[in-house]
Every structure is written in C-alpha cells, then in structure tokens.
Amino acid sequence: MATCSRGCAPAVRLCQRLNRLKTLDGDMMATSLKRCLSTLDLTLMGVGGMVGSGLYVLTGTVAKDTAGPAVIISFIFAGIASLLAAFCYAEFGARFPKTGSAYMFTYVSVGEVWAFLIGWNVILENMIGGAAVARAWSGYLDSIFNHAIQNFTETHIMQWNVPFLAHYPDLLAAGILVLASVFISFGVQVSSYLNHIFSTVSMGVIAFILVFGFMLADPANWSQEQGGFAPYGMSGILAGSATCFYAFVGFDVIASSSEEAKNPQKAVPVATAISLGLAATAYILVSCVLTLIVPWRTLDPNSALADAFFRRGYSWAGIVVAIGSICAMNTVLLCNLFSLPRIVYAMAEDGLFFSIFARVNPVTKVPVNAILVFGILMACMALIFDLEALVQFLSIGTLLAYTFVAASVIVLRFQPEKTNSKDTATPSPNANAEVSPAPLESQNITEDSEEPKQYESFSDKLQLVERQKTRERRGVGQLKAYWEPYLDRLLGDCEPGEVVAFCVMTLIVSSVSLCAVLEFGNEQLQFPVWCFAMLLVIFTLGYVLSLALIWIHEPQRNNQTFQVPLVPLTPGASILFNVFLMMKLSFLTWIRFTVWIAIGLLVYFGYGIWHSKEGLRDFQPKDMAAHYVVLPSGSLVETVQSIQPDGQVVTSAHHISSSAAPTDVEAPGKR
C-alpha cells in the first residue's frame, strides 16, 4: 500500500496543481487600471454589446427562415435564458470587481486549468465576434453603394476560391478593426466616449424605427393569407430562440469592465439589468415592426430593416436605418475590442499567459500590447475568413463560459470563505458580528420579540432546547439543521461544500445526458420508446436530486453585494439551457472546438502551469514569526522562524546594529 501511495503521489500533486484556486488578497478595489466608469458608462457598454448587427440582420433571418412573425416569442424566450446567465455574471462582477469576466469567476471557484480553458475560449469568442461584426459592417456599407467596394476589390486587387475562406480579402473590415484598436489604446475614457456617441445615435435610430414603423404597420401581414403568426409552430419558435440567444451575448462586457468601474458593487448589477432589459425590449419591438411593415416571406435576410422601408417607398428612411446599423455595429466592435485585451491581461497577470500582455501603459492605464496584438489578429481574421464560417464557430465558447459561470455561482455560494493571515491581522468592521463566542459553539437564531420566560418544569426546558436546536444556523456548506436528523449519518462526515461540489458535477453530467437523449435519442440513436422514456426519467431524477441536495445545505448570506436569487434553481436552469443549445451545434463546430482546446492545453502545459502565480505562491513559506532580541553589545538580532509543511522549523538570524536597551520584541505573523 505504501508503494501504491508513493506511486500515486505525483498524480495527486498534478491534480492539485490543476485545480488550485486563485487567492484574492488585499483590497478588492486596488488595481493598476483606472477606475473611471460610472453606471451609465457600463449600461451603454452593455447595450452597445448586445444591440448591434443582430438587430439589423438577425431579426430578418430568423423571421424569414425559422419562426415567422413568432420571432417575437423567440426573443422573449432568449431574453429569459440570457437573464439567467446575466444574474450569474452580475453576482461575480459585484463580488469580485476584477477584470477577466468568466475566466476570473471560474478561477476563484472551480480551478486553474478550467479557468484557463474558459479564458482561452472567451478569447476566441471575442476575436471571432469582432471579425464577424466587421465583416457584417463592411457588407452593410457595401450594399448601400450597390456592392461597388466588393467589385473593385475582386477586379483590381485579388480574389480566391478556397474552402472556408472569403471570395475576396475584405480590406474595409480589416481597416476598421485596426482603426478601432488604435482608438481603444488611447484609454478607457476615449473608448467610453466613442461608445456614448455611437450608442446614442443607434438608440435614436431604433426609436425612429419604432415610431415610423408602427405608423406603417399592416396587421394583414400576420393573417392566415400570409402564413399566420407562427407558420413553423413551436419547433420553429424554439429553434429561433436558440439563434436569438446569441443576440444577447454582449452583456459580459459589463463584468469585464468591473475593475475599471467606480462603484462595481452597485454599478455592475444595475447596468446588467438595465442594459439587458433595454436590449430585449428593442429586439421584441423591432421584430414586431419588421413583420408588420412587409410580409415576412419577402424579407431580405442581409438588410431586412433597411430593405423593408425601401420597399414601402421610403428610401430616405432606409438610409437612416442603414446609418443606425453602422453605428450599432461600431458599438459592438468597440465592446469586443474592449473586452478581449482585458481578458488576455487578466490571464497574463496571473502568469497563465505570456507576461508581455500584462504590461499596462503608465499614461493611458490600459494594456496596450494586448489591444494592438489581438486587434491586428482580429483584423487578419476579418480579412480572409467568410462571415458564415466565423459565425458557426462563435457560439460554443460563449455557451461553455456561461455554463461554467453558472456552476461557479453554486460552488462559491456554498463554499466557506477562506481567510488568510491578512484578514485575521486586520479585522473587518463587521468582525464582531461574524465571530462567535466559542469556536465549537453554534450560533442560535432567536427572535428578539420574545420575552424571557420562567420554565417551571423539566419538560418545558426540553421543549425550549428542542425548538432552539431546530432553529440554529449551521456553518456555510453544511447540512441545514432541519435535515441533520435525517441525513447526518449519510452526509455528516463530509467537509463543508464537498457535497455541493459533487452535486454540481452530477448536475452538469445529468444536464448533458438529458439534453443528448432529447436531441439524439429518437432520430440518430433509434432508441425504443421504453428505453427513451427510462433514460429521460433517470437523468431527470439525477438533475432534480442534485438540485435538492444542494438546496438542503447552508448557503452564504451576503447582503453587501448582489446575489443571484433562487440558488441553485436559477443557475441550474441556466446550465440546462446552455447545454441544450450546445447540443444544437453542428458536428463540424465541435471538431473545431476540440482542435482549439488542444492548442490551449499545449499553451497551458507548456507555459501557464510553470509560470502560474498561484503555483509560485505554493512554494512560499506558509507562516513566519520574527523575534527581535537586543543584545547587551548593542546589536539587534532578528530571528525568523519559517514553519514548513512537514512541521520543521527553519531558523535564520540577521544582525542589525542598534543602540537600544536590551529587550525582547516579537512581531508575529510577519511575512
């Protein structure tokens, strides 16, 4: 057995290194970036990240090919699903106001390798998203000039016929990305100012579309003669909601900007809620207007809104809509170029990515190297790749990040807070409220309104003790007091939060299995009816039982920052919906995703695991005590005792000249 344990030791140490958590020391508000963003700035960033090309392109595409006028219901479903994910982002952004978004949230709750993979995928998501929007921006502008730019490029520059590549190099899309990268590198205030301008123009154009569009609305376009309101039925509505979900993916720019917010604890949740509400309202009302102006069968998927006004005889209105679409796409470009370098900066700051990207310009207070390098890479992607090939690969990284953030909310909510020596040395203002009189004594929750009573009999005292026992509050991550008599033998020996972490893993596995059976069970796998029904029951029970086991444990109660309501139900529903949408992706998308993950693992094991700051922290001494002894000769001797993991004490001495009187001075906890 000893040989076996020694043989397994390297694997255990590797597993511990892969799953180590990020330690956030010191003041959460301390940063090398510039905190200058208000709630309004974050709200406009969120609106700009969501209301872009999707409003002017996606609405017409889904209405014509997938859902018909019922695209309105598709956007309602997608908005609700996005709200579940947005709640999770808002809690983390308020609690940990650090840049990095989903990467940072996963690092502090799940583990290092998972955080790196999430960050790696978010990098790809932002690069592809920015390149795709630049391509759409170029195509929309080119359509206004009757494709003169494309014709000139193909005739006088070059064109090629290569699979997965565009037919011609899109110099306009690449140029706008390089120009936007230069503006972003001037500082966060310049980026915010440009976003204010473009967002204001875009919202003004949306207001014009709604007012003028409802004046031109014709209810006959929803009649049965035109196909009805929901020509593709509920299946079309659900398929449309899966597509419309990607219209709301830009809200994570708010969480990415939390390290540059003035008051992130308040600004991040408020900005997330307002921006998501405004975006959902805009998508629903614009879809309603679009399908009422012209018959949904006649929509042009490439420029649906502008084309609808052109066909009704209002060409000037079509030009106004085209200007609004260009401004909206500019805001999305700015948000992608704003989020991407900060995620790269966060990974580099933690040592998991190349350190050159962790450098912050001392004047502009932004990571200029990350902005320029990844802006140029994004421009190269927009130059050579086709829009369709880019969009097919966009969704999987977003959905994976949403899934891990939702799981991280559950894990962190039921995990006892870790306190380091800094926290114990300088108690917080609320320390008196948190510390109990004795370490092993339970905190009893009693009603202040109850007056002291005299209990004459022994049975009355027993009833009082019983009532207090059922109402006592347990520690975070432990079984609630009510369930202890029933489940203590089964779960009582587990560490706080251990059962919850296992249940979260079971929750994800059950969600994947359930969605796979629903998606592939009858068609591809040809399961018999009894087998299909049995699998559905088993995986549904696993999902529900995991939620129930999580719920019977004691959560953290933090009233200082925003918390997701109805945990674990809200993040659990978000996990299920995200996994279901991932099952809708094509097989080719999964192959590309696997290749990208393999490249990321090479980067992590080749660089990140060796330069991780959390790994370097593990090699530092765990505790130190310094003793200063003034000898009669006048020399001050400093003795430093380092307590090693194996319990050995290593002592070193340093002599410092002093003229003080002989005395002993002890400085415990010195690091």
Side-chain angles (χ1 to χ4, degrees):
M1 294 297 293
T3 305
C4 180
S5 62
R6 285 196 298 270
C8 297
V12 172
R13 285 197 296 268
L14 177 62
C15 185
Q16 291 174 347
R17 294 176 69 182
L18 296 180
N19 292 281
R20 56 195 170 202
L21 304 180
K22 180 176 176 61
T23 305
L24 296 175
D25 293 331
D27 185 10
M28 284 287 184
M29 298 294 289
T31 177
S32 58
L33 304 178
K34 186 176 182 180
R35 289 196 179 274
C36 59
L37 297 178
S38 63
T39 304
L40 177 63
D41 297 329
L42 294 178
T43 301
L44 290 178
M45 280 189 176
V47 172
M50 287 182 280
V51 181
S53 57
L55 187 72
Y56 297 92
V57 179
L58 191 64
T59 50
T61 302
V62 176
K64 182 176 182 180
D65 301 331
T66 310
V71 64
I72 300 169
I73 303 178
S74 297
F75 273 115
I76 293 175
F77 287 165
I80 294 173
S82 300
L83 183 63
L84 299 177
F87 274 147
C88 302
Y89 273 80
E91 174 172 335
F92 273 112
R95 185 172 178 179
F96 304 110
K98 298 292 184 181
T99 190
S101 188
Y103 156 77
M104 178 64 65
F105 307 155
T106 308
Y107 203 172
V108 298
S109 56
V110 178
E112 183 174 284
V113 66
W114 309 107
F116 178 86
L117 293 178
I118 291 298
W120 186 250
N121 280 284
V122 172
I123 289 175
L124 180 66
E125 167 205 336
N126 280 275
M127 289 180 62
I128 293 178
V133 172
R135 270 279 181 177
W137 181 92
S138 173
Y140 219 92
L141 185 64
D142 194 22
S143 64
I144 297 177
F145 296 103
N146 199 20
H147 302 287
I149 301 174
Q150 177 181 350
N151 295 332
F152 178 82
T153 304
E154 291 180 347
T155 304
H156 296 89
I157 300 180
M158 66 180 303
Q159 61 176 324
W160 53 65
N161 292 315
V162 181
F164 305 112
L165 297 182
H167 297 296
Y168 67 98
D170 197 336
L171 299 175
L172 186 61
I176 189 62
L177 282 171
V178 173
L179 184 63
S181 300
V182 173
F183 277 111
I184 291 289
S185 64
F186 288 154
V188 63
Q189 289 181 321
V190 176
S191 308
S192 179
Y193 181 71
L194 289 175
N195 185 69
H196 283 195
I197 295 175
F198 291 130
S199 296
T200 303
V201 175
S202 177
M203 288 188 290
V205 171
I206 292 173
F208 165 78
I209 292 172
L210 296 179
V211 174
F212 193 57
F214 277 115
M215 293 173 58
L216 300 176
D218 184 5
N221 290 323
W222 285 5
S223 63
Q224 291 297 327
E225 289 77 9
Q226 298 293 340
F229 178 75
Y232 298 99
M234 182 55 74
S235 61
I237 293 174
L238 293 177
S241 65
T243 304
C244 295
F245 179 80
Y246 309 125
F248 299 99
V249 298
F251 65 79
D252 59 346
V253 68
I254 299 175
S256 299
S257 311
S258 59
E259 192 166 341
E260 291 159 288
K262 296 177 182 177
N263 185 12
Q265 287 77 15
K266 177 182 177 181
V268 171
V270 171
T272 301
I274 295 176
S275 61
L276 193 61
L278 289 175
T281 303
Y283 275 111
I284 292 169
L285 293 179
V286 168
S287 300
C288 183
V289 166
L290 179 62
T291 53
L292 285 173
I293 294 179
V294 295
W296 60 271
R297 296 178 186 274
T298 62
L299 292 173
D300 181 8
N302 296 322
S303 55
L305 278 170
D307 183 70
F309 284 105
F310 273 117
R311 289 172 50 204
R312 289 297 299 266
Y314 298 94
S315 57
W316 60 272
I319 295 175
V320 172
V321 172
I323 293 173
S325 68
I326 292 174
C327 290
M329 293 181 195
N330 284 337
T331 61
V332 178
L333 281 179
L334 290 174
C335 289
N336 276 280
L337 286 169
F338 187 89
S339 299
L340 174 59
R342 281 152 180 81
I343 295 169
V344 175
Y345 161 78
M347 297 175 67
E349 182 71 13
D350 292 333
L352 302 185
F353 207 52
F354 304 111
S355 60
I356 188 175
F357 298 123
R359 298 176 185 173
V360 175
N361 187 282
V363 178
T364 60
K365 299 293 183 181
V366 294
V368 176
N369 292 338
I371 292 173
L372 295 180
V373 170
F374 282 89
I376 293 173
L377 289 176
M378 196 183 298
C380 293
M381 294 181 67
L383 182 70
I384 61 175
F385 285 108
D386 191 9
L387 177 61
E388 183 178 357
L390 291 171
V391 172
Q392 286 179 354
F393 200 20
L394 173 62
S395 54
I396 191 167
T398 306
L399 292 171
L400 189 67
Y402 287 179
T403 302
F404 267 85
V405 170
S408 299
V409 166
I410 303 175
V411 171
L412 201 63
R413 182 71 66 88
F414 292 88
Q415 188 177 37
E417 291 190 10
K418 297 179 177 63
T419 57
N420 51 27
S421 60
K422 291 183 181 181
D423 298 331
T424 57
T426 57
S428 62
N430 297 326
N432 295 331
E434 296 293 330
V435 179
S436 58
L440 300 178
E441 197 172 287
S442 300
Q443 295 181 350
N444 295 332
I445 301 177
T446 59
E447 295 178 0
D448 296 335
S449 60
E450 289 186 0
E451 303 222 353
K453 288 171 122 182
Q454 295 284 336
Y455 291 92
E456 307 258 337
S457 65
F458 183 68
S459 62
D460 289 337
K461 295 181 180 180
L462 282 179
Q463 292 177 3
L464 174 64
V465 172
E466 227 12 80
R467 185 165 65 249
Q468 287 181 340
K469 183 178 179 181
T470 58
R471 296 170 59 189
E472 71 178 9
R473 181 177 172 183
R474 305 294 308 281
V476 175
Q478 296 178 344
L479 275 175
K480 292 180 179 178
Y482 179 82
W483 298 99
E484 186 177 1
Y486 309 101
L487 298 173
D488 186 62
R489 289 186 178 181
L490 182 63
L491 305 176
D493 294 335
C494 298
E495 293 292 328
E498 185 178 357
V499 176
V500 173
F502 178 78
C503 288
V504 170
M505 187 184 304
T506 307
L507 186 71
I508 296 176
V509 173
S510 300
S511 300
V512 172
S513 303
L514 179 61
C515 294
V517 170
L518 289 173
E519 183 66 23
F520 309 113
N522 275 339
E523 298 178 2
Q524 280 86 354
L525 301 180
Q526 298 294 325
F527 281 156
V529 176
W530 66 268
C531 183
F532 180 77
M534 184 182 67
L535 290 176
L536 284 182
V537 170
I538 292 174
F539 296 134
T540 303
L541 284 177
Y543 179 84
V544 174
L545 185 61
S546 299
L547 290 177
L549 285 175
I550 295 171
W551 177 75
I552 64 176
H553 286 78
E554 195 70 45
Q556 292 182 7
R557 289 177 172 85
N558 181 10
N559 297 323
Q560 297 178 352
T561 59
F562 172 79
Q563 285 194 317
V564 178
L566 300 176
V567 173
L569 183 60
T570 300
S574 179
I575 290 173
L576 184 63
F577 193 85
N578 296 332
V579 171
F580 178 75
L581 292 180
M582 292 176 72
M583 293 295 172
K584 292 284 187 181
L585 300 176
S586 64
F587 182 70
L588 184 60
T589 301
W590 281 97
I591 293 178
R592 295 170 179 168
F593 172 74
T594 304
V595 173
W596 180 251
I597 287 292
I599 297 174
L601 290 175
L602 289 177
V603 174
Y604 175 73
F605 285 104
Y607 182 88
I609 194 173
W610 308 106
H611 296 82
S612 170
K613 290 187 177 180
E614 289 300 320
L616 297 177
R617 188 192 299 266
D618 293 340
F619 291 104
Q620 295 176 355
K622 300 298 180 184
D623 197 6
M624 282 189 176
H627 302 273
Y628 300 93
V629 182
V630 182
L631 301 179
S633 61
S635 63
L636 181 65
V637 178
E638 177 188 359
T639 304
V640 180
Q641 293 181 337
S642 175
I643 303 174
Q644 302 296 329
D646 57 358
Q648 298 177 355
V649 177
V650 179
T651 304
S652 60
H654 305 281
H655 291 268
I656 306 173
S657 64
S658 173
S659 59
T663 184
D664 287 349
V665 182
E666 182 177 350
K670 180 184 174 184
R671 292 184 178 274

